[in-house]
C-alpha cells in the first residue's frame, strides 16, 4: 500500500465526492431543501464531520486554508456569478449598487468598529485591551456581505430581479472596499504612528483597487474574445480559454493587490458576448454547464469546510463582545440601508419600497470571506475572540436569517420574479423603447443611462465587433440576430414535423420590428443611406418573419445556479416529438 | 507585487495557456499539420522553450516531474481513450491484443535486454560495468509502446478500425506487464541474491496487477453508474461523477500497486453505457466535450514537457549503446509482430495481412511513459546513459517513424477507415447476424465470442440494468432504443419543417427489424410468453417505424480525439434550416 504517493489528489477527490454526494442526499428528500436552505444543511454536515474528526484525533480539525479558499474555491463561484449576471438590471441599478457597496460598507465598518470600541470600554466585560484600530480591523472584515452566502440563499427564494441584483451586486462589488479597508487597518495595526498622509493614500487606493480590477478584467476578457476568433479548427479547446483567461485575470489582480472579484466579473461580462458568438454551440453548452458544475461544487465545499472549521479550540468565548457584534451587524446594516435608500429614492422614479428595504437589510448574510480573512489576521492575543465572534455572526446570519427569510418574503408578499422570460414581442418593444428613450435623452441634452448605452452599442458595433468577432462581415441588425437565435433554439428543441403555424403576424408587430431592425438609432438620423439594408434582403426577411414568428416560445428564467435554462427531460422531449410526428401523418 | 502568493496556480494556468495557444498556432496554417504530426511540432516547441530557459538560466531546465505525469497528465488521456474506445472491435480482437500486449512486451523486454547485454560485452564500447539486470531493467522501460504517442499519430492517419485497435489496445494493456517487469527488475537490482521463488512471485503478479486493475475499475464504474441514478434533481453535477469515479479508480489502483491504466479503462468502459442512459443529454455533451478538451490539453503539455526536458545536462552520450538500443527496439518489435501474427493468423479466418503487420511493427512508438520511468530509476552511475538512450529512442520514434508512417500508409495502400458510420440498415443486419451466430455457436457447442457476448447481454438486461439504470421499467428492445437515439439526434440536428418523406420502407427491412426487436435470442427460445412486447405497442411501433425510417442518416466517424461527432457549423445549420423552411412554404 502506497498511500503517501497519491495522498494529495486522492484526498481532494474524496472531498469533492463527499460534497457531491451530500448534495444528492439532500435532493433525495424533496421536502428538506424547501424548508432549510442548502447552505445550512451543508454547514451541518461539516459540523458533524468536524465533530467526528475531533472525536477521533482529539485535536482541532484542520481549518480551511485561506489560500485554498481565495485561490481555488472562490474564483469559480465569482466567475459563474459574473458570466450569468443579467446585465440589463445590473447596469440599470449600477448607481444604487455602488452606493450600497462603497458608502454602505464604509458606514458599516466604521459603525460596527466604533460601537464595539464603545462596548470594550465597559469594565465588567474585561475587553479594555482591544484597541480602536483592532475593532476597526474586525469591523472591516465582518461588515462585508458575502456573495457566496447571498447567492446560496437568494437563488432559492426567487425575489424580483431588481431586489436580487441590489443585494447580490452589492455583495460582489464591496470586495474592493473590503480589500482596501482590511489591508489599511492591518498595516495601521503594525505601524507605530499613523500620519494623515496614510489615510489619504487609503482613500486613493479605493479607486486604484476597484478601477484597476475592472481594467485588468476587461483586458483579459477582450483578449479571450480575440483568441476565440482563431479556434475554428479545434473546437474542443474553446471552453478552456473562457476558464483560463478569467482565472488569469483573477490571479493577476490578486498579484497586484487589486480586487480579484471585480476583475473576474469584468472579465466574464466583457468577454461573454463575443465569446458566445465565436465559439460553437456545443462548446458554449460545455462552458455554461461546467461553470455551473464547478461553482456548485466550490460552494458546497466552502460550506462544508465552514462547518468543519467551526469545531475545535480556536475560540475565545467572550459572550458580551460576541452578542454585541451580532446586534451591531444587524442594526448598522438596517440603518445604512434606510439612510442610503432615502437618498436613492429621491433621485429615482422607480423607488425601492419599504418591504424591499427590509429584505435588503435582512439579506446581508456573512460567509466564508469573513471567515478566511479572520484567519489571515496576524497573531495577536485577541485573535481567538475575533474568530469566535466571526463564527457566531456567520452561523447566525446563515442559519437564523437564511432560514427565516423565505417565510418573511412570503409574509410580506414581496414582489417575486416573473416565472417566464419576456416574449419575443416584449423583447422587441423593450428594445424599441430603449431607442426611443435614448433619442429623448439626446434631444433633451440629458446624459442618462440610455444615452450611454446607445453610445456604447455604437462603439461596440463600429470597432469592437470588427476586432473580436470571427465572422464579422457587416453589422447584422439586432432583429435578425434575435431571430437567428430563436430559430436555432427552436431547431434544437423541437423537430415537430409539419406543425407550422400559418397565421400571419399582426401588422403592428411587424412594423415595430422593422423600426428596431435598423439597428442603430444613429443610423436613422445620420447615416440613412449608408447602412439601410438591401431591399431584396428586407423583402426576404419580411416574408420569413411573417411566416415563422408564429409561436411565442417561452424560455426558462435565467437565474438559478443549479439548472441550465431549457433543461427539460430528453426522453420527455423525444416522446413529444414521436407523438407530434405521428399526428402529423 | 505579490507573486509568491499566486505562483503555483499562475504558472500552471500559463503552461496550459501556452499549450492551447501552440495548438491554435499550428492549426492556423493548414498545411503544416498535414505533413508533420502535431506531437513533433509540440516537442519542437518544447525544445525551443527548453533552449531559452537553458540559455537564460545557464542550468538545465526542470525535467517533467514523474509524479505530475502519472498523477495528473496521464489519467485524462487514458480516460478519454477508454470512454471513446469502440467496444465492438476491441472485444472482437481482445485475444490478439492481449497476445501482443503480454507476450509481445515480454518478448521485447528480454530481447532488448539480452542483446544490449551482449553489446556491453564488446570491450571497445567501455560498457562492461552495465550488468544484465540493469540491461533488463532498461529493456522493461523501453519496450512498452506508449498510448499517448500512438494515439497522437494514429488518429491523424485514419487506418482501418482493426489495425488501429490492435496497436492502440496493445499500447494500453501492456501497462500491466510494464509495471510488473519494471518493479520486479528494480527490486532485483537492489537485492543481493535472487531466488527462484521471487521469479515465480513475479509471474503471479502479472495476473494480480492486470486482473486487480480490471476489478478496481469495474467496481468504481458500477458505483458511478449507480450514483447517477439519483441525480435527476441536480443535473449540473452529473458530469462530475464520471470524472471523480474514474480518477478514484486510477488512484486506488496506483495505491495498491495495480495497473492504473487498466483500471481507468475498465471503469470508463464499464460505466459508459449506464451513465449515458441515466444522465441528461446536456450533461453527456459536457462529459464528452470536457474529456476531449482535457485529454487534448494533457497530451499537448506532455509533448511540450518532453521537449523541454530533453535540453540539459542529464545525458551521457555513449553512442554505440544508444544506436544499438534504437536498432534493437525496431528489430525485436518487428520479429515479435511477425512471430505472434503467424500464430494469430492460424486461428483466425480474418487474417492480419503483411501490410498490416508492417504498420503494427512500425507504429510501436515510445513516449512519455518511458521517459517518466527512466527518471524514476534509483540513482546509479549509468542512469544518465539510460536517460540519453531513452530520449533518443523517443525522439527517433516520434519524429522519424511518426513523420514517415503517413506516406508509408499511402504507399502501401493500407486499408483505410470507412468514412461513414454504418447505416441503420447495416446496423440492424449486424445485430441480426450476431444473434444468428450466437445461436449457431450454441447449437454447435462452441463457446466463442458471440456466445459470451450473448450471455453477457442477458446478464446485463436481467440484473445489471435493473440496479444501475434509473428508469428501468422493462427491457426495451434494442431496435426501439436505436430508433429513439436516432430520432433524438434527428430532432437536434434538423428542424426542417414539412420535409417528411412519405415512402414506406421495404417490407424485408421491416421484417429483419422485427426479428431483431425481440431483443434477446433466449427470449425466442425460452421465455417467449413472458417478454414479448404488448401487441398494441408493436402495432404502434410498426407504424411509426414504417413512416419515419425514411432517410438514412449518416453519422460522423467515432474516432478522432479532437472533434466530437456531428460537430458541424451551427450558423451553417441555421442557414440550411431557414432555406428549407422557406421552401416548405
Amino acid at each position: 500500500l502506497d498511500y503517501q504517493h497519491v495522498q494529495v489528489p486522492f484526498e481532494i477527490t474524496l472531498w469533492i465526492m463527499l460534497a457531491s454526494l451530500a448534495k444528492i442526499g439532500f435532493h433525495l428528500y424533496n421536502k428538506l431543501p424547501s424548508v432549510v436552505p442548502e447552505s445550512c444543511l451543508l454547514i451541518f454536515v461539516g459540523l458533524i464531520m468536524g465533530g467526528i474528526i475531533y472525536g477521533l484525533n482529539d485535536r482541532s480539525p484542520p481549518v480551511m486554508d485561506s489560500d485554498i479558499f481565495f485561490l481555488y474555491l472562490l474564483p469559480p463561484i465569482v466567475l459563474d456569478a459574473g458570466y450569468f449576471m443579467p446585465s440589463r438590471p445590473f447596469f440599470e441599478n449600477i448607481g444604487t449598487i455602488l452606493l450600497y457597496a462603497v458608502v454602505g460598507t464604509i458606514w458599516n465598518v466604521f459603525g460596527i468598529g466604533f460601537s464595539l470600541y464603545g462596548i470594550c470600554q465597559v469594565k465588567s466585560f474585561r475587553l479594555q485591551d482591544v484597541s480602536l484600530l483592532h475593532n476597526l480591523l474586525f469591523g472591516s472584515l465582518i461588515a462585508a456581505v458575502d456573495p457566496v452566502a447571498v447567492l446560496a440563499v437568494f437563488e432559492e427564494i426567487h425575489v424580483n430581479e431588481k431586489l436580487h441584483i441590489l443585494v447580490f451586486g452589492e455583495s460582489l462589488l464591496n470586495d474592493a472596499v473590503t480589500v482596501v479597508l482590511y489591508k489599511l487597518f492591518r498595516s495601521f495595526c503594525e505601524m507605530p504612528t499613523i500620519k494623515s498622509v496614510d489615510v489619504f493614500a487609503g482613500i486613493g487606493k479605493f479607486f486604484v483597487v476597484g478601477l484597476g480590477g475592472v481594467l485588468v478584467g476587461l483586458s483579459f476578457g477582450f483578449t479571450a474574445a480575440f483568441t476565440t476568433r482563431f479556434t475554428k479548427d479545434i473546437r474542443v479547446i474553446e471552453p478552456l480559454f473562457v476558464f483560463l483567461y478569467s482565472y488569469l485575470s483573477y490571479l493577476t489582480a490578486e498579484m497586484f493587490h487589486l480586487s480579484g472579484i471585480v476583475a473576474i466579473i469584468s472579465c466574464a461580462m466583457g468577454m461573454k458576448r463575443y465569446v458566445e458568438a465565436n465559439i460553437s454551440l456545443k462548446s458554449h453548452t460545455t462552458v455554461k454547464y461546467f461553470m455551473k458544475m464547478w461553482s456548485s461544487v466550490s460552494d458546497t465545499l466552502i460550506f462544508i469546510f465552514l462547518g468543519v472549521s467551526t469545531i475545535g479550540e480556536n475560540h475565545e468565548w467572550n459572550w458580551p463582545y460576541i452578542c454585541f457584534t451580532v446586534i451591531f451587524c444587524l442594526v448598522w446594516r438596517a440603518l445604512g440601508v434606510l439612510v442610503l435608500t432615502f437618498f436613492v429614492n429621491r433621485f429615482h422614479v422607480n423607488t425601492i419600497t419599504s418591504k424591499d428595504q427590509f429584505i435588503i437589510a435582512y439579506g446581508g448574510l456573512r460567509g466564508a470571506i469573513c471567515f478566511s480573512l479572520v484567519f489571515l489576521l496576524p497573531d495577536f492575543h485577541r485573535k481567538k475572540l475575533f474568530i469566535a465572534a466571526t463564527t457566531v455572526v456567520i452561523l447566525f446570519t446563515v442559519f437564523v436569517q437564511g432560514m427565516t427569510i423565505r417565510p418573511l418574503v412570503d409574509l410580506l408578499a414581496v414582489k417575486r420574479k416573473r416565472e417566464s422570460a419576456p416574449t419575443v414581442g416584449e423583447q422587441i418593444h423593450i428594445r424599441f423603447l430603449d431607442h426611443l428613450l435614448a433619442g429623448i435623452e439626446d434631444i433633451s441634452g440629458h446624459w442618462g443611462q440610455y444615452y450611454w448605452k446607445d453610445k456604447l452599442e455604437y462603439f461596440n458595433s463600429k470597432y469592437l465587433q470588427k476586432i473580436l468577432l470571427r465572422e464579422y462581415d457587416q453589422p447584422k441588425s439586432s432583429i435578425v440576430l434575435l431571430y437567428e437565435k430563436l430559430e436555432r433554439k427552436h431547431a434544437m428543441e423541437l423537430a415537430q414535423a409539419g406543425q407550422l403555424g400559418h397565421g400571419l403576424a399582426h401588422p403592428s408587430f411587424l412594423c415595430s420590428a422593422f423600426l428596431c431592425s435598423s439597428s442603430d438609432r444613429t443610423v436613422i438620423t445620420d447615416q440613412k443611406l449608408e447602412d439601410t439594408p438591401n431591399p431584396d434582403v428586407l423583402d426576404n426577411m419580411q416574408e420569413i418573419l411573417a411566416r415563422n414568428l408564429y409561436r411565442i416560445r417561452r424560455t426558462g428564467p435565467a437565474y438559478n445556479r443549479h439548472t441550465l435554462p431549457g433543461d427539460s427531460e430528453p426522453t420527455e422531449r423525444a416522446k413529444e416529438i414521436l407523438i407530434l410526428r405521428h399526428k402529423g401523418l
Side-chain angles (χ1 to χ4, degrees), chain A:
Chain A
L1 191 76
D2 182 12
Y3 183 61
Q4 208 62 35
H5 180 57
V6 298
Q7 187 178 11
V8 177
F10 197 77
E11 287 183 0
I12 293 173
T13 317
L14 277 186
W15 273 111
I16 300 176
M17 183 72 94
L18 172 81
S20 318
L21 291 179
K23 256 192 140 65
I24 289 188
F26 300 150
H27 281 271
L28 279 185
Y29 300 95
N30 282 324
K31 282 188 181 166
L32 204 59
S34 67
V35 181
V36 188
E38 216 180 82
S39 43
C40 299
L41 291 173
L42 290 168
I43 290 186
F44 199 68
V45 169
L47 286 173
I48 292 171
M49 290 218 37
I52 293 171
I53 297 174
Y54 190 49
L56 290 179
N57 295 349
D58 208 25
R59 57 191 176 84
S60 305
V63 292
M64 175 161 56
D65 191 320
S66 299
D67 262 6
I68 290 179
F69 174 73
F70 281 113
L71 291 182
Y72 305 107
L73 293 177
L74 189 59
I77 299 179
V78 182
L79 172 62
D80 177 65
Y83 197 83
F84 290 97
M85 177 90 82
S87 58
R88 194 184 166 87
F90 179 75
F91 285 113
E92 269 176 6
N93 298 299
I94 184 80
T96 317
I97 292 170
L98 278 176
L99 195 73
Y100 285 144
V102 179
V103 182
T105 307
I106 294 174
W107 164 286
N108 277 312
V109 170
F110 285 96
I112 295 171
F114 278 111
S115 31
L116 278 178
Y117 183 61
I119 294 300
C120 290
Q121 302 315 308
V122 179
K123 275 194 181 166
S124 58
F125 293 160
R126 291 188 208 155
L127 289 159
Q128 280 136 310
D129 55 329
V130 186
S131 70
L132 176 62
L133 261 181
H134 276 121
N135 271 318
L136 285 173
L137 178 56
F138 180 63
S140 76
L141 68 88
I142 204 75
V145 175
D146 186 84
V148 183
V150 165
L151 211 59
V153 167
F154 271 71
E155 75 182 6
E156 289 179 6
I157 59 176
H158 303 291
V159 293
N160 64 73
E161 232 179 11
K162 186 177 173 187
L163 187 50
H164 183 113
I165 207 75
L166 285 180
V167 182
F168 182 50
E170 179 203 337
S171 71
L172 285 173
L173 297 190
N174 67 22
D175 180 56
V177 181
T178 310
V179 167
V180 171
L181 284 181
Y182 178 77
K183 287 188 180 160
L184 202 69
F185 288 130
R186 216 175 66 172
S187 60
F188 282 177
C189 281
E190 285 156 6
M191 277 186 215
T193 53
I194 300 152
K195 290 172 191 162
S196 59
V197 180
D198 297 323
V199 178
F200 282 108
I203 295 170
K205 264 192 188 167
F206 278 128
F207 296 96
V208 176
V209 167
L211 295 180
V214 172
L215 213 70
V216 167
L218 284 183
S219 48
F220 274 99
F222 288 136
T223 320
F226 187 70
T227 311
T228 52
R229 271 187 71 164
F230 305 103
T231 52
K232 202 180 174 186
D233 296 319
I234 22 170
R235 290 294 194 187
V236 277
I237 59 168
E238 280 175 343
L240 205 62
F241 287 111
V242 175
F243 298 110
L244 286 180
Y245 278 109
S246 25
Y247 193 44
L248 274 184
S249 77
Y250 182 84
L251 292 177
T252 310
E254 288 284 309
M255 197 160 69
F256 292 105
H257 298 287
L258 305 174
S259 165
I261 293 184
V262 171
I264 205 169
I265 286 175
S266 327
C267 179
M269 292 181 87
M271 79 169 118
K272 188 183 181 192
R273 181 171 183 169
Y274 308 105
V275 166
E276 267 182 29
N278 280 335
I279 69 180
S280 82
L281 259 183
K282 277 190 182 172
S283 300
H284 192 218
T285 307
T286 306
V287 167
K288 287 194 293 186
Y289 221 89
F290 215 79
M291 228 175 241
K292 293 244 162 268
M293 188 176 97
W294 214 334
S295 75
S296 138
V297 168
S298 276
D299 162 295
T300 311
L301 281 176
I302 287 174
F303 285 113
I304 289 185
F305 283 158
L306 255 185
V308 172
S309 310
T310 305
I311 304 287
E313 287 150 357
N314 296 314
H315 310 288
E316 182 193 335
W317 300 109
N318 184 313
W319 283 107
Y321 192 84
I322 292 171
C323 294
F324 275 107
T325 307
V326 174
I327 293 166
F328 288 143
C329 279
L330 288 173
V331 170
W332 282 104
R333 179 158 178 89
L335 282 178
V337 169
L338 276 180
V339 173
L340 291 176
T341 315
F342 174 75
F343 287 108
V344 168
N345 278 349
R346 285 191 60 180
F347 295 103
H348 281 79
V349 184
N350 189 1
T351 56
I352 300 166
T353 65
S354 51
K355 283 178 193 171
D356 286 354
Q357 288 174 42
F358 176 76
I359 296 296
I360 292 173
Y362 202 72
L365 307 182
R366 269 65 162 187
I369 290 186
C370 313
F371 196 79
S372 301
L373 286 178
V374 82
F375 273 98
L376 277 181
L377 282 180
D379 272 324
F380 76 111
H381 67 288
R382 288 292 195 174
K383 188 175 171 183
K384 286 191 173 180
L385 173 64
F386 286 180
I387 292 176
T390 310
T391 308
V392 170
V393 170
I394 293 171
L395 293 185
F396 181 84
T397 53
V398 172
F399 275 86
V400 179
Q401 292 179 217
M403 281 169 73
T404 51
I405 199 165
R406 194 200 304 250
L408 281 173
V409 166
D410 288 338
L411 196 75
L412 294 172
V414 172
K415 205 179 150 204
R416 297 301 184 95
K417 184 167 69 177
R418 54 184 291 182
E419 280 307 309
S420 55
T423 61
V424 179
E426 282 174 300
Q427 283 187 27
I428 289 169
H429 279 101
I430 288 170
R431 204 159 290 177
F432 176 59
L433 280 173
D434 283 357
H435 284 299
L436 203 69
L437 284 167
I440 293 170
E441 282 188 351
D442 209 6
I443 291 165
S444 66
H446 172 74
W447 290 355
Q449 52 163 319
Y450 294 102
Y451 174 83
W452 285 111
K453 197 177 164 189
D454 203 72
K455 279 274 170 277
L456 205 67
E457 206 53 58
Y458 181 73
F459 176 73
N460 172 45
S461 68
K462 191 91 179 171
Y463 304 105
L464 284 181
Q465 287 194 346
K466 277 181 198 163
I467 303 167
L468 300 179
L469 292 188
R470 184 188 303 139
E471 282 145 5
Y472 188 78
D473 310 314
Q474 52 183 11
K476 268 185 191 164
S477 99
S478 54
I479 187 75
V480 174
L481 284 176
L482 177 68
Y483 178 68
E484 262 187 25
K485 194 173 142 196
L486 283 167
E487 195 61 25
R488 218 180 293 154
K489 203 169 197 172
H490 186 57
M492 298 281 290
E493 280 176 7
L494 287 164
Q496 49 189 73
Q499 292 291 307
L500 256 180
H502 291 286
L504 266 161
H506 195 273
S508 75
F509 173 84
L510 267 177
C511 178
S512 70
F514 278 99
L515 266 170
C516 300
S517 82
S518 42
S519 73
D520 249 332
R521 188 183 47 80
T522 46
V523 172
I524 301 176
T525 51
D526 305 323
Q527 304 152 291
K528 203 162 194 168
L529 289 168
E530 276 176 49
D531 276 296
T532 312
N534 185 330
D536 281 351
V537 177
L538 257 180
D539 277 350
N540 197 358
M541 214 162 72
Q542 188 165 15
E543 202 181 353
I544 294 169
L545 284 172
R547 287 179 190 271
N548 286 294
L549 279 176
Y550 57 93
R551 170 182 279 211
I552 291 158
R553 276 171 290 266
R554 300 201 168 271
T555 49
Y559 255 126
N560 196 320
R561 284 173 62 223
H562 297 294
T563 53
L564 285 165
D567 193 2
S568 68
E569 201 48 42
T571 50
E572 281 294 303
R573 232 151 58 205
K575 215 179 285 170
E576 196 186 23
I577 293 162
L578 273 178
I579 294 164
L580 282 167
R581 278 235 166 140
H582 202 58
K583 271 189 197 157
L585 302 162

